[in-house]
Amino acid sequence: MKIRVVIPNSSSEFTATQVAERKKAAFTGTEVDVVCLPHGPVSIEYAWDEALAAPYILEVARKTEEEGYDAVTVDCAMDPSLRAVREQVSIPVTSGGESSFLVAMALGTKFSVVTVLESTAKVIRENLQKYGFTSRVASVRFANVPVLDLVDEEKAAQAILVEAKKAIADDGAEVIVLGCTGMSPLARKLQQELGVPVVDPAAASIKLAEALAAMGLAHSKAAYLTPPDKEIR
Amino acid sequence: MKIRVVIPNSSSEFTATQVAERKKAAFTGTEVDVVCLPHGPVSIEYAWDEALAAPYILEVARKTEEEGYDAVTVDCAMDPSLRAVREQVSIPVTSGGESSFLVAMALGTKFSVVTVLESTAKVIRENLQKYGFTSRVASVRFANVPVLDLVDEEKAAQAILVEAKKAIADDGAEVIVLGCTGMSPLARKLQQELGVPVVDPAAASIKLAEALAAMGLAHSKAAYLTPPDKEIR
Amino acid sequence: MKIRVVIPNSSSEFTATQVAERKKAAFTGTEVDVVCLPHGPVSIEYAWDEALAAPYILEVARKTEEEGYDAVTVDCAMDPSLRAVREQVSIPVTSGGESSFLVAMALGTKFSVVTVLESTAKVIRENLQKYGFTSRVASVRFANVPVLDLVDEEKAAQAILVEAKKAIADDGAEVIVLGCTGMSPLARKLQQELGVPVVDPAAASIKLAEALAAMGLAHSKAAYLTPPDKEIR
Amino acid sequence: MKIRVVIPNSSSEFTATQVAERKKAAFTGTEVDVVCLPHGPVSIEYAWDEALAAPYILEVARKTEEEGYDAVTVDCAMDPSLRAVREQVSIPVTSGGESSFLVAMALGTKFSVVTVLESTAKVIRENLQKYGFTSRVASVRFANVPVLDLVDEEKAAQAILVEAKKAIADDGAEVIVLGCTGMSPLARKLQQELGVPVVDPAAASIKLAEALAAMGLAHSKAAYLTPPDKEIR
Amino acid sequence: MKIRVVIPNSSSEFTATQVAERKKAAFTGTEVDVVCLPHGPVSIEYAWDEALAAPYILEVARKTEEEGYDAVTVDCAMDPSLRAVREQVSIPVTSGGESSFLVAMALGTKFSVVTVLESTAKVIRENLQKYGFTSRVASVRFANVPVLDLVDEEKAAQAILVEAKKAIADDGAEVIVLGCTGMSPLARKLQQELGVPVVDPAAASIKLAEALAAMGLAHSKAAYLTPPDKEIR
Amino acid sequence: MKIRVVIPNSSSEFTATQVAERKKAAFTGTEVDVVCLPHGPVSIEYAWDEALAAPYILEVARKTEEEGYDAVTVDCAMDPSLRAVREQVSIPVTSGGESSFLVAMALGTKFSVVTVLESTAKVIRENLQKYGFTSRVASVRFANVPVLDLVDEEKAAQAILVEAKKAIADDGAEVIVLGCTGMSPLARKLQQELGVPVVDPAAASIKLAEALAAMGLAHSKAAYLTPPDKEIR
């Protein structure tokens, strides 16, 4: 099985730091390929970033299908352009936010998302409402760490830990979802310290993609209708 | 007061047919300016269209604010890039879908949206869920008429009428919202034939923009945080 | 356009203090007329007050339509007798609570209402549930200031400010709705101090009435059925 | 135990037909007294009727408490003035609609209400939304029989039966709630014919009143705050 | 009328302490019989306990119907095996949790449950979600007192009181539901101290059983279908 | 990785027909072991069946953990004893219903469940409400085929197909979930005929178990608290 992970920003430096983790997340036998966008913002933290990245996400997704991949993951907890990508391609499409929320709901009755910035938290809250999952959400918190500062892992871990602890103690979270796909190593550490499951959206979207492809499932074309050829000026 | 109506497609021909209606929708004393996008799809009917139009919607919205307009409307029932535009500008931003849903809820307990295509209906349903309005929605129906075919007004009217009648008789709709901004003349005709209020999203978003600007209100920057300067590659 | 504002209490003294603000809220070209009830409680703060005022609200609304007004607003954040008035008349009927909630939802994802008394808060919470808006509500708070004490504007402003700040900091409010129509001057001051939009229900209901009348819209008679002649003993 | 049943209309003729049924609904040892209003509409079918009856419902409820009754029921499926009455008195207050919905939810997962008129159905739907019960409601249907025509029992029964059968077959109702308190004899007949439980709101509100009074429970004064003395002009 | 109260644990000692309270809860004329299970855990505090008790609850319920009782109550706030029992028998079945939630909703708009252990709270929260009542719930709290320690009434009362006060002050509870059926004497004391209604689930389920039986109502067999004879190995 | 599939009925004949399908559902490298219960009903179709099977499901799950399995699946779309099993063991526990609903929500906005019997449909609807997924559900339908009759694959397929088509055409389903774990071969056939994704709950729960175990995740012990040692009489 061949899965392409699309990191929907234009930062090849950031992407380089993520490759090993994404390969590690897959089952033996799954070939994982990680790419970022040719153009667009260097990080996705605002709806504004999403809007600017949108055409390039579509472009990369289209190529992914053409090149014969079995599935594609949009590697971001904000699920940018998810509906548009699913309209465009027929191979399974998963995404960091959606996949991690689904996994979290298999692990407890209430989960909290701990993400990077307030702007990201706003988008994630809106997505949770759109997906109909709010009755399962304890809170969406943010650590006030921009995505590209996640490379200072120690400091990021500390800030995330503080919010995750509040989510558990004050909001009733039984499961923590990390609200950014750049935090895989953190997920493991946090889980040990917190004593509750910590879901890494990058891993979750790869595992879900593998599972869908293996089951012969892809998103419904009755839900995500294929656009006809249309004039683009 | 100066309001700019942004028709988020690239069809200047379609836009030309809408100008008179938009001006008519405003109060005396409101100056209305109607533009379309410099690039992008010729109509917005799929999430895919939205994604391709997104960067140009942002560009036009930014210029609108710079040129001193008091408010901007995104003239589309699918509310494309609404969150991104609100992040970007500080003047009031309204949009066809959201505005018409709000107006409809002032007129009855249950409304139905009748839109053009199934793909559009899917996006509108998702928006209604995202906005938390589903308990007020009787149904979202579509007439199977592409946006640019709305110029054949007679035929479009007939198809919309059929669905609107079903919405009232079968789904319990008390109010009809037209799910496309290219139907202003239709709204008036349909209202007479149906005997229930018919909300035109193009007019609704202009009236809401006027009302907000007059009250000194604009969207909350605590909801739509301003993105910092960021590298766009 | 001629709009009548019905302050649904019997206090002509209070009403006198509101006239200038209501006229100011309207567009040039809108004629605004402000009246209170001939009988009933001197303020509307409890469901009990609403019940006693109900027949007089209906009486004034009926006359308003007979006298050729284009719209009527029930000038109270508790929306007293709103359904009954809409059953009775065919001109657009707006109301302080409903209108301000709708406006607030165009400005942010979560709003809080800050009202005068706990009893008022209870009614407003019930209305928000009835309207299906609770997923958009951060909180309903009260400042413990009876309506008629709002004339001591300084003190009222202080108490409201405290609660509004808590709504923003603790409850996640992005927009503040004032939960009483006697606070128009306060709305402007609070907005400056709080840095988020503050919606005045008195102004909101006038702007919505103007917008509806201008669009040729009135509440659906399929939602608010006209009562037949009936014996009243 | 002494319970007063308040039929919130002014029709002493209708009331006379209901007395025997109400007494029959009570346990041995419960003294039941049935009254109607001194003034107001002869039937309660519209919000408009409710508004006109409101002050008299309050008056009768106040006297009921003064005369030492242990509980009072507002004998109407539209629950008119329920909040106002609870603000006013401290003895338990039950009502036809609310009581029957609660009983229905002890009998199945989905219930339908079959009421008299479309206008009544609209109010009942709004109440169900206000009470937060919509996830348990299959449908609210109406038989198009005005309240005072219920005396022609045969014809009413037929019309109600047709709608109840549709509720079960088409809407998934497992329990039927009669949406009018003038149908007690019908409830028994319908239950036999339909094979599912049929809840009579008149009986339900009496049984709930008995249960509350026996348990030493009355509505919370933290929910329904007592109004202070206030000038009524 | 003959009602059997089934305490769904195997502790005859605990059961002995409850008999007098259950008899006191009934109307004169109702014969109340209290039994516990022949086998199973000595208390029901976890879903695990429920699972082990399930076959014995069914066995006792079946016998109750065979012996001609008019109704049966499953005397536990966790509502163990409620659906299964209703599938099995045709006489009315009530249960501590469900009955007390229904009664609470007749007394205020928001109630809190105060139960014994965190594990119990988790099950009760899940039930409230299953019943569709969450919009009426302020919170579910626990006092950290195992069921069998309720015999030290003074200490239990103190712990429950602390949580009930927090529910009222911090969570907005207007009504308190005790989340365990072993607390009847406490209910009365707490109500006096708290000033809001306190619902005893043991009493509530008996009163509801009496009411249903008296009205000729039992759960819908369209909701709880009767299982056919089936091989049990 | 070693996963045990627990078919929660006592029919070893039925179980024998399922083994090959379960093994086929797993990734290479996953060892799958399929067992049924030592005692209990021969099929799980009613809550009553669940109640009788409950103690044996716990027993088998406990042994599974003791024997060193990495995960366990409760192979039934009714999710029997799911909470109890999660309280008891620490290895990941998945189940047919929950897993397939989660997978379905990754494939479309609205799914329908097509199950075997009306009684099963009732339990599944209740579970969907308990899980908070109802806003994503188009319908729950049943084909009126008892579980053990699924061996007549042709006839079952026909009955399921009819209901699945109605779910898509009449209810708006974009994805079909099979509401029984004995239908794996059917899932593939139906998907081809229907043109929308068809989720097999047996496969879904195995894939989810594999994914959880591989990610080092198990259900939260803060959600499913471990019961203490307790006297079982």
Side-chain angles (χ1 to χ4, degrees):
Chain A
M1 189 185 306
K2 267 172 46 180
I3 292 180
R4 175 165 281 162
V5 173
V6 180
I7 296 187
N9 66 36
S10 65
S11 173
S12 47
E13 305 89 312
F14 176 81
T15 298
T17 67
Q18 302 297 312
V19 174
E21 281 293 341
R22 293 305 172 278
K23 290 185 183 294
K24 198 155 92 184
F27 281 111
T28 333
T30 304
E31 202 177 303
V32 170
D33 175 51
V34 185
V35 302
C36 64
L37 303 186
H39 300 287
V42 290
S43 61
I44 303 290
E45 299 162 331
Y46 289 78
W48 188 80
D49 296 322
E50 286 186 310
L52 294 181
Y56 305 108
I57 299 175
L58 288 182
E59 185 186 316
V60 175
R62 185 177 47 73
K63 278 190 200 158
T64 300
E65 185 169 44
E66 286 170 9
E67 295 170 11
Y69 282 82
D70 296 293
V72 60
T73 79
V74 180
D75 191 80
C76 178
M78 287 165 68
D79 299 338
S81 300
L82 188 51
R83 172 168 279 279
V85 173
R86 285 181 175 155
E87 286 179 358
Q88 193 182 41
V89 304
S90 294
I91 53 172
V93 182
T94 62
S95 188
E98 189 191 64
S99 301
S100 58
F101 308 152
L102 293 171
V103 165
M105 293 193 294
L107 301 173
T109 55
K110 293 270 179 189
F111 67 89
S112 281
V113 183
V114 181
T115 186
V116 285
L117 292 179
E118 187 171 10
S119 56
T120 321
K122 297 283 177 187
V123 172
I124 287 173
R125 276 188 205 119
E126 207 162 75
N127 284 344
L128 288 162
Q129 169 93 355
K130 184 169 73 180
Y131 301 158
F133 296 166
T134 48
S135 72
R136 302 292 294 273
V137 177
S139 58
V140 180
R141 289 178 167 270
F142 59 96
N144 225 8
V145 179
V147 170
L148 299 185
D149 292 8
L150 291 175
V151 290
D152 181 351
E153 218 180 83
E154 205 50 57
K155 202 175 141 195
Q158 206 42 48
I160 298 275
L161 185 66
V162 167
E163 293 303 318
K165 282 185 172 167
K166 283 189 207 160
I168 296 166
D170 301 349
D171 309 333
E174 300 161 342
V175 177
I176 297 296
V177 169
L178 296 185
C180 179
T181 48
M183 305 175 169
S184 302
L186 242 91
R188 290 183 292 270
K189 280 187 218 162
L190 281 170
Q191 182 161 299
Q192 272 195 312
E193 258 187 280
L194 293 169
V196 303
V198 175
V199 183
D200 169 18
S205 58
I206 288 172
K207 297 322 278 181
L208 185 55
E210 289 178 311
L212 295 181
M215 287 189 281
L217 292 169
H219 53 280
S220 174
K221 280 292 167 181
Y224 305 98
L225 290 97
T226 304
D229 273 341
K230 181 183 286 195
E231 191 188 348
I232 314 291
R233 293 188 184 167
Chain B
M1 188 186 307
K2 266 172 48 181
I3 292 179
R4 173 165 282 162
V5 173
V6 179
I7 295 184
N9 66 35
S10 65
S11 172
S12 47
E13 305 87 314
F14 177 80
T15 299
T17 67
Q18 302 297 313
V19 174
E21 280 294 339
R22 295 304 174 278
K23 289 185 183 295
K24 198 155 93 182
F27 281 112
T28 333
T30 303
E31 203 176 302
V32 170
D33 177 49
V34 185
V35 302
C36 65
L37 302 187
H39 300 288
V42 290
S43 62
I44 302 289
E45 298 162 331
Y46 289 78
W48 189 80
D49 296 320
E50 286 187 311
L52 294 181
Y56 305 108
I57 299 176
L58 289 182
E59 186 186 317
V60 175
R62 184 177 48 72
K63 279 192 199 154
T64 299
E65 184 169 44
E66 285 170 11
E67 296 171 8
Y69 282 81
D70 296 292
V72 60
T73 79
V74 179
D75 191 81
C76 178
M78 287 166 69
D79 299 339
S81 300
L82 187 52
R83 171 168 281 277
V85 173
R86 284 180 176 156
E87 285 179 0
Q88 191 180 44
V89 305
S90 295
I91 54 172
V93 181
T94 62
S95 188
E98 188 191 64
S99 300
S100 57
F101 308 151
L102 294 170
V103 164
M105 293 194 292
L107 301 173
T109 56
K110 292 273 180 190
F111 67 89
S112 281
V113 183
V114 182
T115 186
V116 285
L117 292 180
E118 188 170 11
S119 56
T120 322
K122 298 282 178 188
V123 173
I124 287 173
R125 276 188 205 120
E126 204 162 76
N127 284 344
L128 287 163
Q129 169 94 352
K130 183 169 74 178
Y131 302 158
F133 296 165
T134 47
S135 71
R136 300 293 293 274
V137 177
S139 58
V140 180
R141 289 178 167 270
F142 58 96
N144 226 6
V145 180
V147 171
L148 300 185
D149 292 7
L150 291 175
V151 289
D152 181 351
E153 218 178 83
E154 205 51 55
K155 202 175 141 196
Q158 206 41 47
I160 298 276
L161 184 66
V162 167
E163 293 303 318
K165 281 184 174 168
K166 284 189 206 158
I168 295 167
D170 301 350
D171 310 332
E174 300 160 342
V175 177
I176 297 295
V177 169
L178 295 184
C180 180
T181 49
M183 303 175 170
S184 301
L186 243 90
R188 288 184 293 270
K189 278 188 221 162
L190 282 170
Q191 182 161 300
Q192 271 195 314
E193 255 185 284
L194 293 169
V196 302
V198 175
V199 182
D200 168 19
S205 59
I206 289 173
K207 297 322 279 181
L208 185 56
E210 289 178 311
L212 295 181
M215 287 190 280
L217 292 169
H219 53 281
S220 174
K221 279 294 166 178
Y224 305 99
L225 290 97
T226 304
D229 274 342
K230 179 181 288 194
E231 192 189 345
I232 315 290
R233 293 186 184 166
Chain C
M1 190 187 302
K2 267 172 49 182
I3 292 179
R4 173 164 283 163
V5 173
V6 179
I7 295 185
N9 67 35
S10 66
S11 173
S12 47
E13 305 88 313
F14 176 82
T15 298
T17 67
Q18 302 298 313
V19 175
E21 280 293 340
R22 293 306 171 277
K23 290 184 183 294
K24 199 155 92 182
F27 282 112
T28 333
T30 304
E31 202 178 302
V32 171
D33 176 51
V34 185
V35 302
C36 64
L37 303 186
H39 300 288
V42 290
S43 61
I44 303 291
E45 298 162 330
Y46 288 78
W48 189 80
D49 296 323
E50 285 186 312
L52 294 181
Y56 305 109
I57 298 175
L58 288 182
E59 184 186 318
V60 175
R62 185 178 47 75
K63 278 190 197 155
T64 299
E65 184 170 44
E66 287 170 9
E67 294 170 11
Y69 281 81
D70 295 292
V72 59
T73 80
V74 179
D75 191 80
C76 179
M78 288 165 68
D79 299 338
S81 300
L82 187 51
R83 172 168 280 278
V85 172
R86 284 179 175 157
E87 286 179 359
Q88 192 181 43
V89 304
S90 295
I91 54 172
V93 181
T94 62
S95 189
E98 188 191 63
S99 301
S100 57
F101 307 151
L102 293 171
V103 165
M105 292 193 294
L107 301 173
T109 55
K110 292 274 180 187
F111 67 88
S112 282
V113 183
V114 182
T115 185
V116 286
L117 293 179
E118 188 171 8
S119 56
T120 321
K122 298 281 178 189
V123 172
I124 287 173
R125 275 189 207 120
E126 206 162 76
N127 284 344
L128 288 163
Q129 168 94 354
K130 184 170 72 180
Y131 301 158
F133 295 165
T134 48
S135 72
R136 302 292 294 274
V137 177
S139 58
V140 180
R141 290 179 165 269
F142 59 96
N144 227 6
V145 180
V147 171
L148 300 185
D149 292 9
L150 290 174
V151 290
D152 180 351
E153 218 178 85
E154 204 51 55
K155 202 174 141 196
Q158 206 42 47
I160 297 276
L161 185 65
V162 168
E163 293 302 318
K165 282 185 172 168
K166 283 189 208 160
I168 295 166
D170 300 349
D171 309 333
E174 300 160 342
V175 177
I176 297 296
V177 169
L178 295 183
C180 179
T181 49
M183 303 174 168
S184 300
L186 242 92
R188 289 184 292 270
K189 280 186 218 164
L190 282 171
Q191 181 160 298
Q192 273 195 313
E193 258 186 281
L194 294 169
V196 303
V198 175
V199 182
D200 169 18
S205 59
I206 289 173
K207 298 321 280 181
L208 185 55
E210 289 179 310
L212 295 181
M215 286 189 280
L217 292 169
H219 52 280
S220 174
K221 279 293 166 180
Y224 305 98
L225 290 98
T226 305
D229 274 343
K230 181 183 286 195
E231 191 188 347
I232 314 291
R233 292 187 184 167
Chain D
M1 188 186 307
K2 267 172 46 181
I3 291 179
R4 173 165 284 162
V5 173
V6 180
I7 295 184
N9 66 35
S10 65
S11 171
S12 47
E13 303 88 314
F14 176 82
T15 299
T17 67
Q18 302 297 313
V19 174
E21 280 293 340
R22 294 304 172 280
K23 288 184 183 296
K24 199 155 92 183
F27 282 111
T28 335
T30 303
E31 200 177 305
V32 170
D33 176 51
V34 185
V35 302
C36 64
L37 303 186
H39 301 287
V42 290
S43 62
I44 302 290
E45 299 163 330
Y46 289 78
W48 189 80
D49 295 322
E50 285 187 311
L52 294 181
Y56 306 107
I57 298 175
L58 288 181
E59 186 187 316
V60 175
R62 186 178 47 73
K63 277 191 198 153
T64 299
E65 183 169 45
E66 285 171 9
E67 294 170 10
Y69 282 81
D70 295 292
V72 60
T73 79
V74 179
D75 191 81
C76 178
M78 288 165 68
D79 299 339
S81 300
L82 187 52
R83 171 168 280 278
V85 172
R86 284 180 175 157
E87 285 179 359
Q88 192 181 44
V89 304
S90 296
I91 53 173
V93 181
T94 62
S95 189
E98 189 192 62
S99 301
S100 57
F101 308 150
L102 293 170
V103 164
M105 292 192 294
L107 302 173
T109 56
K110 293 272 180 189
F111 66 89
S112 281
V113 183
V114 182
T115 185
V116 286
L117 292 179
E118 187 171 10
S119 56
T120 322
K122 297 282 177 187
V123 172
I124 286 173
R125 275 189 206 120
E126 205 161 77
N127 284 345
L128 288 163
Q129 168 94 352
K130 184 168 75 180
Y131 301 159
F133 295 165
T134 47
S135 71
R136 301 292 294 273
V137 177
S139 58
V140 179
R141 290 178 166 269
F142 59 95
N144 227 6
V145 180
V147 171
L148 300 186
D149 292 7
L150 291 175
V151 290
D152 180 351
E153 218 177 83
E154 205 51 56
K155 200 173 142 197
Q158 206 41 48
I160 297 275
L161 184 65
V162 168
E163 293 302 318
K165 281 183 173 170
K166 283 189 208 161
I168 295 167
D170 301 349
D171 310 332
E174 300 160 341
V175 178
I176 297 296
V177 169
L178 296 183
C180 180
T181 48
M183 304 175 170
S184 301
L186 242 91
R188 288 184 293 270
K189 278 187 220 163
L190 282 171
Q191 182 161 298
Q192 272 194 312
E193 257 185 281
L194 293 169
V196 301
V198 175
V199 183
D200 169 18
S205 59
I206 289 172
K207 299 321 278 181
L208 185 55
E210 289 179 310
L212 295 181
M215 287 189 279
L217 291 169
H219 53 280
S220 174
K221 279 294 168 179
Y224 304 98
L225 291 97
T226 306
D229 275 342
K230 180 182 287 195
E231 191 188 347
I232 313 292
R233 291 185 185 169
Chain E
M1 189 186 306
K2 267 172 46 181
I3 292 178
R4 173 165 283 161
V5 173
V6 179
I7 295 185
N9 67 36
S10 65
S11 171
S12 48
E13 306 88 312
F14 176 82
T15 298
T17 67
Q18 302 297 313
V19 174
E21 280 293 341
R22 293 305 173 277
K23 290 185 182 294
K24 198 155 93 182
F27 281 112
T28 333
T30 304
E31 202 177 304
V32 170
D33 176 51
V34 185
V35 302
C36 64
L37 303 186
H39 300 288
V42 290
S43 61
I44 302 290
E45 299 160 332
Y46 289 78
W48 189 80
D49 296 321
E50 286 187 311
L52 294 181
Y56 306 107
I57 299 175
L58 288 181
E59 184 187 318
V60 175
R62 185 178 47 74
K63 278 191 199 154
T64 300
E65 184 170 43
E66 286 170 10
E67 294 170 10
Y69 282 80
D70 296 292
V72 60
T73 80
V74 180
D75 191 80
C76 178
M78 286 165 70
D79 299 339
S81 300
L82 187 51
R83 171 168 280 279
V85 173
R86 285 182 175 154
E87 285 178 358
Q88 191 181 43
V89 305
S90 295
I91 54 172
V93 181
T94 62
S95 187
E98 188 191 63
S99 301
S100 57
F101 308 150
L102 293 171
V103 164
M105 293 194 293
L107 302 173
T109 55
K110 293 271 180 189
F111 67 89
S112 281
V113 183
V114 182
T115 185
V116 286
L117 291 179
E118 188 171 9
S119 56
T120 323
K122 298 281 177 188
V123 173
I124 287 173
R125 275 188 206 120
E126 206 161 76
N127 285 343
L128 287 163
Q129 169 94 352
K130 184 170 72 179
Y131 302 158
F133 296 165
T134 48
S135 72
R136 302 292 294 272
V137 176
S139 58
V140 180
R141 289 178 166 269
F142 59 97
N144 227 7
V145 179
V147 170
L148 300 185
D149 291 8
L150 291 174
V151 290
D152 181 350
E153 217 178 85
E154 204 51 55
K155 201 174 142 198
Q158 205 43 46
I160 298 276
L161 184 66
V162 167
E163 292 303 318
K165 281 184 172 168
K166 283 189 206 159
I168 296 167
D170 301 350
D171 309 333
E174 300 160 342
V175 178
I176 297 296
V177 169
L178 296 183
C180 180
T181 49
M183 304 174 168
S184 301
L186 242 91
R188 289 184 292 270
K189 279 187 218 161
L190 281 170
Q191 182 161 298
Q192 272 194 314
E193 257 186 280
L194 293 168
V196 303
V198 175
V199 182
D200 169 18
S205 59
I206 289 172
K207 298 320 281 181
L208 184 55
E210 289 179 310
L212 295 181
M215 286 189 280
L217 292 169
H219 53 280
S220 174
K221 279 292 166 180
Y224 305 98
L225 290 97
T226 305
D229 273 342
K230 180 183 287 194
E231 191 188 347
I232 314 290
R233 294 186 186 168
Chain F
M1 188 186 306
K2 268 173 44 183
I3 292 179
R4 174 165 281 162
V5 173
V6 180
I7 295 186
N9 66 37
S10 65
S11 172
S12 48
E13 304 89 313
F14 176 82
T15 298
T17 67
Q18 302 297 312
V19 175
E21 280 294 340
R22 295 303 173 279
K23 289 184 184 294
K24 197 155 91 183
F27 281 111
T28 333
T30 304
E31 202 177 302
V32 170
D33 176 51
V34 185
V35 302
C36 64
L37 303 187
H39 301 286
V42 289
S43 61
I44 303 290
E45 299 163 331
Y46 289 78
W48 188 81
D49 295 322
E50 286 187 310
L52 294 181
Y56 305 108
I57 299 175
L58 289 182
E59 185 186 317
V60 175
R62 185 178 47 73
K63 279 190 198 155
T64 300
E65 183 169 44
E66 285 170 10
E67 294 170 11
Y69 282 81
D70 295 293
V72 60
T73 78
V74 179
D75 191 81
C76 178
M78 287 165 70
D79 298 339
S81 300
L82 187 52
R83 171 168 281 279
V85 173
R86 285 181 175 156
E87 285 179 359
Q88 192 182 42
V89 304
S90 294
I91 53 172
V93 181
T94 62
S95 188
E98 189 191 62
S99 301
S100 57
F101 308 151
L102 293 171
V103 165
M105 293 193 293
L107 301 173
T109 56
K110 293 272 180 189
F111 67 89
S112 282
V113 183
V114 181
T115 186
V116 286
L117 292 179
E118 186 170 11
S119 56
T120 322
K122 298 281 178 189
V123 172
I124 286 173
R125 274 187 207 122
E126 206 162 76
N127 284 344
L128 287 163
Q129 169 94 351
K130 183 169 74 179
Y131 301 158
F133 296 165
T134 47
S135 72
R136 301 293 294 273
V137 177
S139 59
V140 180
R141 290 179 165 269
F142 59 96
N144 227 6
V145 180
V147 171
L148 299 185
D149 293 7
L150 291 174
V151 289
D152 181 352
E153 218 178 84
E154 206 50 56
K155 200 173 144 198
Q158 206 41 48
I160 297 276
L161 185 66
V162 168
E163 293 303 317
K165 282 185 173 168
K166 283 189 207 159
I168 295 167
D170 300 350
D171 310 333
E174 300 160 341
V175 177
I176 298 296
V177 170
L178 296 183
C180 180
T181 49
M183 304 176 172
S184 301
L186 243 90
R188 288 184 292 270
K189 279 187 221 163
L190 282 170
Q191 182 161 298
Q192 272 194 313
E193 257 187 283
L194 293 169
V196 303
V198 175
V199 183
D200 168 19
S205 59
I206 288 173
K207 297 322 278 181
L208 185 55
E210 289 178 310
L212 296 181
M215 287 189 280
L217 291 169
H219 53 281
S220 175
K221 280 292 167 180
Y224 305 98
L225 291 97
T226 305
D229 274 342
K230 179 183 288 193
E231 192 188 346
I232 314 291
R233 293 185 185 168

